[in-house]
Amino acid sequence: SAMSDIESELVQLQDWVDEKDDEIEQVKIYRVAKWSSSQRKKKLSQYKDTLADIEAHGEILKLLLSICEALTEDNTIDDDNHAVRTIKQLETVWHQVWLRALEWEYLLEQSGE
């Protein structure tokens, strides 16, 4: 069914978001100051790749959210459905991960100048 497909996608997305949340640490300016120029360039390249990955997964998240919103409007599921709650929670964590990666990218770009 559509809901079991959505639930399956959500499990995969949850695992991915949790992995990225653990992987991308809080921005630490003092650490970047100690890195060589080549280390900063390497990290910047990694964060650009990570951001592209985060944004691609954001598209999947938006698609799942719009499907659940449509199902809610059709009264197929209600607002308190597990999938709806999970997507909204995932969206919050996704935004936090995306912002943290953006902060790193910005800091590394600024430190390279």
Side-chain angles (χ1 to χ4, degrees), residues 29 37 39 44 50 52 69-71 80 85 90 94 105 110:
I29 295 171
S37 177
Q39 284 175 305
L44 179 58
T50 298
E69 285 171 350
L71 291 172
D80 198 36
R85 289 192 321 268
L90 271 176
W94 179 90
E105 180 187 46
Q110 295 307 305

Side-chain angles (χ1 to χ4, degrees), residues 46-65:
Q46 289 171 344
Y47 275 105
K48 286 186 180 297
D49 290 345
T50 298
L51 272 166
D53 190 28
I54 291 168
E55 288 165 1
H57 280 82
E59 292 302 315
I60 296 167
L61 186 62
K62 281 186 218 169
L63 178 64
L64 290 172
L65 189 56

